[in-house]
Amino acid sequence: MPTVNLWATDGYVGTPDGKNVYIWGFTDKEGGAAQLPGPAIIVKQQPYLIPTVVTVNLTNKLAEPVSLVFPGQGEVRVNGQPAQPQYQGDKLVSFINHALPGETITYQVTLTGPGTFLYESGTYPHRQVQMGLHGAMIVRPPDYLGLHPEKQTAYGRNTGTEFDREYLLVLGEIDPGLHQSVEHGLPYDTGEFNPRYRTINGKCWNGTVSGDGDGHLPARPYGSMIMMEPGEKVLLRCAGAGFESHPLHPHGNHARVVGLDGKLLQNCGISGTTDLSFKRFTILTGPGQTCDLIYTWTGPGYEPDTNPIPTRLPQIRKMALAPTGLTMWSGSPYLGVKGELPGEIESCNQIGEYHFMLNSHGVPGITGQGAFPGGMPAMIAVYPAGTLEPHHGMLPTESHTP
C-alpha cells in the first residue's frame, strides 16, 4: 500500500506584477518550501474487492495546528483510531484530528473508487485552504495500464473514459490581503475576501503556458499548457480548490463531462447501462468540486494544395499579432505549415501547430489586479499528427511508490 510523506510549511510565490506573496502549502520533500498546489497524490486501486488504503504522514512545521481531510473517500483513521473532529471548549476548530506545531500524525485513508479528488486542511479551512494547504488526489482504476488504448482510462474498462493524454488543473484564487495578514499575524475578516489573482496550478497568465517542472517557478511545478494532436482524447482533471466557481471554456470544441466529484456519470441497472455524460461549451467547476472532462479537437482539414481555405484571408499585417512583438501564430492558417511573418515579429510557434485558449469565462477570472490579460487563461496547442512526443500529457501511474 502506498505511503505519502507531507510537510505543512510556508514559502513565497511571485505574481505577474512583480510582487511576492507569502503562502502556506504542502511539500513531499523534507526541508522543502511550500508547493502550490500541494504534491499530487496518484494511486492505483487494488484489484476489485481488495481495499486500497493510503497512508499519509503529515508533519506540521507551521505555528498553528494543521490537518488533512480527504473529501469523497471512505474510512479515515488517525494514528490507528477513527478520525474525530477537534474542539476547543464548544468551538469546532478542526473537522478531523490535527497535528500540533512540530508534531507528526498518520492518516490511513480507505479509497472509495477511481476519479479525481481534493485533499486539504480541515483546520480553520477558511484561512488555511486559501493560504495554499490543498492538493489533488487521482485514483486510478485497478485495470489501468498506461499507453494501452483500452486500459488507459479514468474510470475503468468499458466506461467510455479512454484517453490519450491527461492534464491536472487545480483552480484557485489569491487574496494578497489575506496572505499579508497571516504573514504578519494580523486579523482578517473573511467577509472581506477580495482575490486579485485567479490561478491554474498556482499560476497566473502567462505562467500558465509553462510546462511541468519549469525551473523558474520551483514552488509551482505543475504546468497547464495543454498539448495534443488532432483526434486525440485528452482527459482534463479540474479541481476547484478555492472559494469561487470557475467557468472554464476550451476553445475549438465542446468537452464531454464524464465524472463529477470522483463519480462516473453512468447509471448501471438491471436493464442495462445508461451514459449520463454530457457535452458543454463551458464547464463550471465549483468550490471543492472536481470535474473530469474529455476533450477532442478535430479541425476541418484544410490543406494548402488539396483543400485550400475557401475564403480570402486578410493581409498578414492585419492579422492579430501581439503588440510586444511576440506571437504563437505560425504565419500560416494550415496545420503543420510555417509562413512568413513581419521582420519585427518573433513567433513562439514550433512546427506550425495551432494555439487557442483554454480560459475562464468569468470576467474577473481573466484579469490580474484588474488588468487584462491575466489570471486564468491558458493555452491548448494542437500539433500535427505524429509530431508530439509521448511524454507530453502523461502523468505517472502512481506518484509515491516505494
Side-chain angles (χ1 to χ4, degrees):
M1 299 294 185
T3 297
V4 181
N5 296 310
L6 294 178
W7 287 262
T9 185
D10 61 359
Y12 289 86
V13 296
T15 62
D17 49 355
K19 299 177 182 177
N20 280 324
V21 175
Y22 177 72
I23 65 166
W24 290 349
F26 297 111
T27 177
D28 56 3
K29 298 177 177 60
E30 186 173 6
Q35 181 179 310
L36 186 67
I41 300 174
I42 307 177
V43 181
K44 182 178 177 180
Q45 270 192 292
Q46 294 294 305
Y48 292 110
L49 302 180
I50 300 177
T52 302
V53 180
V54 178
T55 299
V56 182
N57 298 313
L58 172 64
T59 301
N60 182 13
K61 299 182 68 176
L62 296 174
E64 67 179 51
V66 175
S67 64
L68 286 172
V69 292
F70 302 88
Q73 303 309 323
E75 181 186 32
V76 178
R77 301 180 72 86
V78 183
N79 292 338
Q81 300 299 317
Q84 298 289 336
Q86 303 295 296
Y87 293 87
Q88 288 182 351
D90 60 353
K91 181 181 179 181
L92 176 68
V93 297
S94 181
F95 292 119
I96 196 171
N97 309 69
H98 53 230
L100 297 173
E103 185 180 17
T104 298
I105 61 174
T106 298
Y107 298 87
Q108 291 177 310
V109 186
T110 302
L111 304 182
T112 56
T116 305
F117 305 91
L118 284 162
Y119 70 87
E120 57 193 15
S121 177
T123 308
Y124 306 116
H126 60 285
R127 179 175 68 249
Q128 292 193 3
V129 175
Q130 260 302 321
M131 284 296 295
L133 289 170
H134 61 256
M137 174 182 284
I138 295 173
V139 181
R140 300 201 184 278
D143 58 1
Y144 178 87
L145 185 60
L147 300 178
H148 191 288
E150 294 182 353
K151 294 185 178 181
Q152 185 167 272
T153 71
Y155 286 92
R157 194 171 182 179
N158 299 322
T159 60
T161 60
E162 299 86 2
F163 63 87
D164 299 294
R165 303 180 195 270
E166 66 177 327
Y167 295 87
L168 175 63
L169 306 176
V170 180
L171 315 177
E173 316 89 33
I174 295 175
D175 176 1
L178 167 62
H179 290 250
Q180 187 176 37
S181 297
V182 171
E183 182 178 14
H184 297 289
L186 301 174
Y188 178 83
D189 182 0
T190 54
E192 301 296 323
F193 181 67
N194 182 25
R196 303 300 293 168
Y197 309 98
R198 275 84 177 177
T199 63
I200 302 178
N201 289 339
K203 302 173 184 176
C204 301
W205 175 264
N206 56 4
T208 53
V209 298
S210 61
D212 287 344
D214 195 329
H216 77 285
L217 297 172
R220 292 165 288 181
Y222 300 131
S224 48
M225 179 75 169
I226 311 302
M227 305 171 73
M228 60 182 296
E229 293 184 3
E232 288 186 334
K233 295 178 180 179
V234 177
L235 175 63
L236 302 179
R237 299 179 180 267
C238 300
F243 288 176
E244 297 183 332
S245 296
H246 296 290
L248 284 189
H249 167 53
H251 288 225
N253 271 325
H254 286 40
R256 183 166 65 96
V257 182
V258 299
L260 291 173
D261 296 325
K263 299 298 182 184
L264 174 66
L265 294 180
Q266 191 177 91
N267 187 22
C268 297
I270 298 177
S271 59
T273 299
T274 303
D275 181 10
L276 301 178
S277 68
F278 55 91
K279 290 186 176 182
R280 287 290 184 272
F281 175 77
T282 299
I283 298 93
L284 187 69
T285 302
Q289 185 180 44
T290 66
C291 187
D292 296 320
L293 324 171
I294 293 181
Y295 175 83
T296 300
W297 183 89
T298 52
Y302 294 128
E303 298 176 0
D305 300 322
T306 61
N307 188 23
I309 293 175
T311 186
R312 182 177 179 180
L313 296 175
Q315 292 181 355
I316 194 168
R317 291 185 179 274
K318 294 182 180 179
M319 304 289 275
L321 298 173
T324 59
L326 293 174
T327 183
M328 290 182 169
W329 186 42
S330 69
S332 169
Y334 300 105
L335 182 63
V337 178
K338 295 197 73 171
E340 186 177 356
L341 290 168
E344 69 276 13
I345 296 295
E346 180 181 351
S347 175
C348 298
N349 194 284
Q350 295 177 315
I351 56 173
E353 70 274 11
Y354 288 159
H355 289 261
F356 44 90
M357 295 187 76
L358 164 73
N359 65 282
S360 170
H361 262 202
V363 173
I366 53 174
T367 64
Q369 290 283 24
F372 174 84
M376 304 181 84
M379 297 296 291
I380 297 174
V382 180
Y383 284 75
T387 63
L388 188 59
E389 296 180 359
H391 71 271
H392 293 294
M394 293 295 164
L395 299 178
T397 298
E398 294 190 275
S399 60
H400 296 80
T401 53

